[in-house]
Amino acid sequence: MGSYDHREIEKKWADRWFEEKTYQAKDFSDKPKKYILAEFPYPSGNALHAGHMMRYTVPDVYARYLRMKGYNVLFPMGWDAFGLPAENFAVKSGIHPAITTKKAIESYRVSMRKMGYGIDWEREIDTTDPNYYKWTQWLFLKFFQQGLAEYREMPIWWCEQLKTVLSDEEVLTDKDGNKISERGEYPVERKLLKQWVLKITKYADKLLEGLDQIEFPEAIKSAQRSWIGRSYGANVSFSVNGTKLEVFTTRPDTIFGVTYMAISPESPILETLLRSAVNTEEVTEYIEESKRKSDLEKLKSKDKTGVQLEGVFAKHPFTGENIPLFVADYVLMDYGTGVVMGVPAHDERDFDFAKKLGIKIIPVIETPKDFEGKLYTGSGKMINSAEYNGLDSQDFSEKVIKRLEKEGIGKRETQYKLRDWIFSRQRYWGEPIPLIHTHDGEILSICDIDDPKDVDAKLPLRLPDVPDYTPSSDGASPLERNKEWVNTTDNEGNPARRETNTMPNWAGSCWYFIRFVDPKNSESFADVEKMKYWLPVDKYFGGAEHTTMHLLYSRFWYKFLFDQGLVPNQEPYMWRMNGGLLLGPDGTKMSKSKGNVVEPMDIVENYGADALRACICFLGPYTDTYPWNINGIKSTWRLMKNIHDFHQKVKSANAEISSENVLRALNKLIFNVSSMIESLKMNTAVSEVMIFMNSVKDSGEISQDSWMKFLKVLAPLAPFLAEELWHNISGQETSIHLQPWPEVEARYLESEQIIIPVQINGKVRAEVTFNRALSDDEVKAMILEDQTVKKHIGTSELKKFIYVPGKIANIVL
């Protein structure tokens, strides 16, 4: 062996692993399965960027470790290639998106091979492949068949810059309170348009209940619960000149405290109410002014504004009193009915509004004796509530609902913040929606999805190759311009028009993890038995930006498919971790305009993939965000060079027996790195490799047997160098990555390891071995990840965890 030449080593093994299909997963293996998934990328640029390196390196290390631990590991990859990212890149470059996407995919594939990712390339998928989107279309038609895909007029977010509709989840609020697009951060506005929607609201309860069955971080669960926003209460009807004004309230116990009604400026009922108002011009002017404010401005403004609809009153449903009506911009249309029953004595926003406009305030719940605030929002005894005075407010809520239902003026109601998912885009580069609009106004599927022959004959509905794919200035889809494709006939030969809106870029990613299970199936979206074997995904790594988008959408699709009997379980992913970001050297988000972009392939060329992988791992926990530092890659490159150079001494010296100190260091390395990779602490795993190398360099020699064990530990972190040195010293043909993980010899760890019993509800159920130096939090994490412990916990809720250091752990369920 000569000097350390990472280019030669890495190219040789990247090609060989690809040719020999080293990381191919086996369906129905006798080994226990592990399905490890990292979100597949949008191939919209020239090559993988630094963010991708952060996203995929840690999962790859973990998958490699599991493979060596005896698992049948599925670690697949594909391309989320439809949608705005790819289309915008094509529009800017002036090259057709089919060409730019194909080129980007080829570049991404090469980049991933250069990084040494242990991917099963036999399962590669591409959402723009007609053989893939045939089944995306078929699944959409399942929604349509079951009445969960609907074409209706609704208020939508329109982005003029992107020339397309955006879903609620794709709209952000900037620091000034303005609504902007998630992609590109362009201004958005409200419009009323006809759109295709998927009725995700029908699955709100199932999505909430499913969160209790899966191991997601509490932050993700909280975000999804908040986005769904389930709240319990009652719908109450207030009469206004014969018109019903529907109000949803979570506090029916405060109904006698209503002193005004507030209506959102966006409410369609205002058109009717304005006809009876004395001050129509004043109210109309206020409505127009309100439209110029963002929702965040309306909600956060301390200066509550509104205008009374003079001459118009609502009748209180219990007392018959006249209640004044106001248009107020603190009331939004995104929740409830867009109408609020103002109870200023027991709601802070109502209180501020009433004080500002001089509206009377009537307390109806007795405040505790020690209460010193300006208004009381808790429960208590009813006051000023007619014959109900003295009742407990929670009991009174039930009586209110029963009275409303008995008198036909209200009912018990559960409301959600979640809105149906807008599922159509006015862009070219997306899956065509396989529906036709008939001459008499019907909307029909292009095929009978229950007839395999008809499906094969009519799906996929291919995206036509058009010369002009730029977005239209009038908001229509570019497909509208292709009359030959648009104009078609129904089954009876009558004229019909194809649907010209395309699916959003989320469509293909809603089920891609299923297709990885059976990517070449031409008769079904996936084989049932293969799904039973591989699903659900064991560990899913992704981005925090997808918490209430892809992660929620795909759970919705999967639950729908379960209800249709098409998938074997109710949740697609059992575990989730969101990754952090790699910032520019200046500590800000990487941007070409700032000149702070780090190009990973340049680093691979100059320092090697092994050094870059180790550098990324060494940065810190996977979930955090870090600035790029060139000194980090220099440090890990020196580590690789030191390992390479020391290997030559090992082979030439060929020591038969390692010293006691080296054996202690080696077994400590095996033990620590095992527990660290299992808990995804790759930064400390790299640190352990550095510590070990320092100890063997000080010793001066190590036996070939001990060195080969070290190379196995190195393999998940630095796969190229480990493979090269393994073949150089072992004389074996089989890849090091298919070797068993080295076993710890306990006698060398007496001072390092400790074994404690784990009690679950008072009974010892397991024993867990760990390093004495671990913190209490790390011990807890290891215990809860132990397979025996997890089996006994099952789906039960963890009530209490007690750890007596070095003695015992007690879990109460």
Side-chain angles (χ1 to χ4, degrees):
M1 292 180 69
S3 59
Y4 176 45
D5 186 346
H6 64 264
R7 297 182 186 88
E8 181 182 344
I9 292 171
E10 293 176 0
K11 184 182 186 311
K12 175 174 76 173
W13 290 111
D15 291 344
R16 184 161 165 181
W17 292 335
F18 187 76
E19 291 164 5
E20 296 182 356
K21 304 174 184 177
T22 301
Y23 307 111
Q24 188 170 358
K26 182 181 179 182
D27 295 325
F28 313 117
S29 168
D30 292 335
K31 296 179 180 180
K33 73 92 179 177
K34 285 288 184 182
Y35 186 174
I36 309 303
L37 182 66
E39 288 176 352
F40 63 168
Y42 305 115
S44 59
N46 295 321
L48 290 183
H49 56 67
H52 292 126
M53 304 299 105
M54 286 285 288
R55 187 61 42 85
Y56 301 123
T57 300
V58 166
D60 179 70
V61 171
Y62 183 66
R64 287 178 173 280
Y65 167 78
L66 290 175
R67 195 176 287 111
M68 296 178 74
K69 288 289 286 185
Y71 289 95
N72 180 31
V73 177
L74 173 56
F75 186 57
M77 187 52 62
W79 320 108
D80 192 9
F82 267 137
L84 286 176
E87 184 173 334
N88 288 342
F89 183 77
V91 170
K92 288 179 183 178
S93 64
I95 305 171
H96 196 282
I99 297 172
T100 59
T101 299
K102 182 180 179 181
K103 183 178 178 182
I105 286 173
E106 291 171 354
S107 176
Y108 275 42
R109 188 188 300 114
V110 169
S111 298
M112 288 190 169
R113 287 175 56 190
K114 285 183 176 181
M115 282 297 295
Y117 295 143
I119 291 164
D120 182 354
W121 288 109
E122 293 300 296
R123 296 175 187 261
E124 180 182 359
I125 60 176
D126 169 7
T127 59
T128 67
D129 180 355
N131 294 319
Y132 180 87
Y133 71 71
K134 165 184 178 177
W135 297 108
T136 307
Q137 291 173 337
W138 185 85
L139 292 171
F140 171 83
L141 290 175
K142 272 289 179 184
F143 284 98
F144 181 70
Q145 182 188 59
Q146 297 301 316
L148 292 177
E150 185 177 80
Y151 191 54
R152 67 170 183 251
E153 189 172 65
M154 60 187 300
I156 52 83
W157 292 111
W158 172 263
C159 180
E160 182 62 28
Q161 189 79 18
L162 296 174
K163 304 291 185 189
T164 193
V165 167
L166 301 175
S167 67
D168 286 349
E169 296 90 332
E170 294 172 306
V171 176
L172 307 176
T173 305
D174 67 15
K175 59 182 177 61
D176 297 320
N178 300 308
K179 294 295 185 181
I180 56 173
S181 61
E182 181 261 343
R183 185 161 298 280
E185 299 184 352
Y186 301 118
V188 297
E189 60 180 316
R190 278 291 199 190
K191 279 189 176 183
L192 203 62
L193 288 175
K194 268 199 165 183
Q195 295 293 316
W196 281 101
V197 298
L198 292 187
K199 296 180 182 178
I200 191 173
T201 51
K202 297 291 185 183
Y203 276 75
D205 289 326
K206 289 183 178 182
L207 289 167
L208 286 170
E209 290 156 8
L211 292 172
D212 296 329
Q213 304 168 17
I214 50 182
E215 296 180 59
F216 281 16
E218 190 53 43
I220 293 179
K221 290 184 177 183
S222 295
Q224 292 205 357
R225 289 189 186 109
S226 176
W227 190 261
I228 295 168
R230 182 170 64 188
S231 50
Y232 302 99
N235 253 10
V236 186
S237 290
F238 291 77
S239 177
V240 184
N241 297 335
T243 300
K244 284 188 176 181
L245 200 58
E246 299 285 345
V247 176
F248 172 74
T249 177
T250 58
R251 294 294 304 270
D253 56 327
T254 64
I255 193 164
F256 282 95
V258 177
T259 59
Y260 71 94
M261 308 282 286
I263 306 169
S264 168
E266 296 178 346
S267 174
I269 202 170
L270 283 175
E271 185 178 347
T272 301
L273 298 179
L274 276 171
R275 296 172 192 154
S276 304
V278 175
N279 57 335
T280 303
E281 187 175 331
E282 180 187 8
V283 176
T284 303
E285 187 178 320
Y286 177 81
I287 291 171
E288 291 302 316
E289 181 184 338
S290 175
K291 287 180 180 178
R292 293 191 284 270
K293 295 182 182 179
S294 71
D295 287 353
L296 192 67
E297 285 178 300
K298 297 171 187 175
L299 282 172
K300 290 194 171 183
S301 175
K302 294 180 180 179
D303 184 22
K304 296 289 184 282
T305 67
V307 60
Q308 185 175 354
L309 283 159
E310 295 179 7
V312 187
F313 297 91
K315 292 289 184 183
H316 192 286
F318 287 180
T319 69
E321 292 181 13
N322 281 339
I323 301 172
L325 301 182
F326 291 81
V327 180
D329 62 10
Y330 80 90
V331 183
L332 305 179
M333 280 300 298
D334 289 343
Y335 181 68
T337 63
V339 183
V340 165
M341 59 178 216
V343 186
H346 304 289
D347 181 275
E348 186 173 357
R349 288 185 303 159
D350 293 353
F351 177 84
D352 292 341
F353 185 78
K355 292 291 284 185
K356 173 76 182 295
L357 278 78
I359 302 169
K360 65 181 178 181
I361 299 172
I362 302 175
V364 292
I365 298 176
E366 191 174 65
T367 57
K369 292 180 180 179
D370 57 350
F371 181 74
E372 297 179 352
K374 64 180 181 180
L375 77 160
Y376 181 59
T377 59
S379 57
K381 297 293 182 183
M382 301 308 304
I383 58 174
N384 297 322
S385 299
E387 68 269 28
Y388 302 103
N389 289 339
L391 285 178
D392 179 81
S393 59
Q394 292 179 336
D395 293 337
F396 179 48
S397 284
E398 284 298 308
K399 289 185 179 294
V400 170
I401 293 172
K402 288 178 181 178
R403 179 174 169 180
L404 290 170
E405 291 178 336
K406 183 179 179 181
E407 297 180 11
I409 52 175
K411 62 179 180 178
R412 189 183 305 276
E413 187 79 17
T414 303
Q415 287 274 4
Y416 305 87
K417 287 194 293 184
L418 182 68
R419 291 293 177 259
D420 283 335
W421 173 17
I422 298 174
F423 198 72
S424 49
R425 298 292 183 269
Q426 294 66 44
R427 299 294 290 255
Y428 166 69
W429 195 239
E431 297 92 339
I433 294 176
L435 298 171
I436 58 171
H437 299 258
T438 67
H439 69 289
D440 56 1
E442 274 195 277
I443 301 176
L444 303 175
S445 167
I446 68 169
C447 68
D448 179 356
I449 60 172
D450 295 321
D451 181 349
K453 290 183 179 179
D454 202 33
V455 170
D456 285 343
K458 297 177 181 176
L459 289 183
L461 172 60
R462 292 175 180 264
L463 187 67
D465 185 7
V466 299
D468 182 10
Y469 48 82
T470 56
S472 303
S473 58
D474 61 359
S477 167
L479 290 176
E480 288 276 4
R481 298 193 287 264
N482 190 330
K483 300 303 179 184
E484 184 180 345
W485 184 85
V486 172
N487 295 324
T488 184
T489 58
D490 62 18
N491 288 334
E492 297 177 357
N494 297 312
R497 297 181 75 259
R498 296 193 190 281
E499 173 61 56
T500 56
N501 287 327
T502 53
M503 298 187 201
N505 56 293
W506 307 104
S509 64
C510 278
W511 72 284
Y512 78 110
F513 55 92
I514 303 175
R515 190 63 174 177
F516 278 139
V517 166
D518 194 16
K520 295 180 173 62
N521 195 326
S522 61
E523 298 179 356
S524 170
F525 71 101
D527 176 76
V528 173
E529 295 304 316
K530 290 180 181 179
M531 286 192 283
K532 287 180 180 177
Y533 176 76
W534 284 113
L535 295 172
V537 173
D538 293 287
K539 279 189 167 34
Y540 191 20
F541 298 82
E545 68 276 13
H546 294 151
T547 295
T548 54
M549 288 191 279
H550 159 68
L551 205 56
L552 197 62
Y553 297 155
S554 56
R555 289 185 62 228
F556 162 48
W557 274 50
Y558 198 80
K559 285 183 174 295
F560 168 74
L561 296 179
F562 176 79
D563 286 348
Q564 301 303 306
L566 297 173
V567 294
N569 31 50
Q570 295 187 45
E571 286 288 341
Y573 327 110
M574 294 312 296
W575 179 101
R576 169 76 176 194
M577 179 179 280
N578 286 341
L581 296 172
L582 186 62
L583 304 175
D586 57 359
T588 63
K589 188 175 180 179
M590 289 190 189
S591 167
K592 289 182 180 179
S593 63
K594 295 179 181 178
N596 65 348
V597 172
V598 175
E599 296 291 350
M601 291 305 102
D602 291 345
I603 297 169
V604 169
E605 174 67 18
N606 294 322
Y607 295 95
D610 283 333
L612 179 55
R613 290 168 60 99
C615 179
I616 289 169
C617 288
F618 194 53
L619 286 171
Y622 179 75
T623 54
D624 291 350
T625 296
Y626 310 94
W628 173 256
N629 188 332
I630 191 63
N631 293 325
I633 189 68
K634 290 178 179 178
S635 174
T636 52
W637 180 85
R638 284 194 296 270
L639 174 64
M640 298 303 134
K641 184 177 184 302
N642 289 339
I643 292 170
H644 176 274
D645 294 347
F646 192 82
H647 173 84
Q648 299 183 69
K649 297 179 183 177
V650 174
K651 190 168 184 181
S652 59
N654 196 20
E656 293 184 4
I657 301 174
S658 297
S659 68
E660 186 81 5
N661 287 339
V662 168
L663 289 171
R664 286 189 178 280
L666 175 64
N667 282 276
K668 180 181 178 182
L669 172 76
I670 297 169
F671 181 81
N672 286 352
V673 171
S674 299
S675 63
M676 289 164 183
I677 291 180
E678 285 172 3
S679 58
L680 300 170
K681 297 181 183 295
M682 309 308 180
N683 55 320
T684 54
V686 174
S687 178
E688 289 294 322
V689 171
M690 293 175 174
I691 292 169
F692 175 77
M693 281 305 301
N694 286 334
S695 67
V696 296
K697 285 174 68 177
D698 290 342
S699 174
E701 65 176 11
I702 184 173
S703 71
Q704 283 193 11
D705 180 67
S706 295
W707 184 250
M708 287 165 68
K709 289 180 180 178
F710 162 70
L711 292 178
K712 289 182 179 181
V713 175
L714 179 68
L717 297 161
F720 293 108
L721 181 59
E723 187 80 284
E724 175 74 9
L725 301 186
W726 168 261
H727 283 272
N728 183 267
I729 201 171
S730 70
Q732 297 188 35
E733 284 298 313
T734 307
S735 169
I736 191 173
H737 303 294
L738 302 179
Q739 300 294 326
W741 188 256
E743 296 288 336
V744 172
E745 295 183 68
R747 68 181 184 275
Y748 294 113
L749 284 182
E750 290 174 359
S751 62
E752 301 291 340
Q753 70 176 359
I754 189 171
I755 302 173
I756 66 160
V758 180
Q759 281 191 171
I760 301 177
N761 283 354
K763 292 184 179 182
V764 175
R765 298 294 192 182
E767 288 186 337
V768 178
T769 303
F770 55 87
N771 191 299
R772 191 184 296 274
L774 293 182
S775 68
D776 289 359
D777 287 342
E778 290 171 325
V779 170
K780 179 180 178 180
M782 278 197 66
I783 290 172
L784 294 179
E785 279 296 311
D786 181 83
Q787 292 303 312
T788 304
V789 173
K790 288 173 75 171
K791 179 181 176 182
H792 282 284
I793 291 177
T795 59
S796 300
E797 182 181 351
L798 183 65
K799 186 176 181 181
K800 191 178 294 185
F801 184 95
I802 303 168
Y803 172 54
V804 181
K807 302 290 185 183
I808 194 171
N810 211 324
I811 295 172
V812 181
L813 303 178

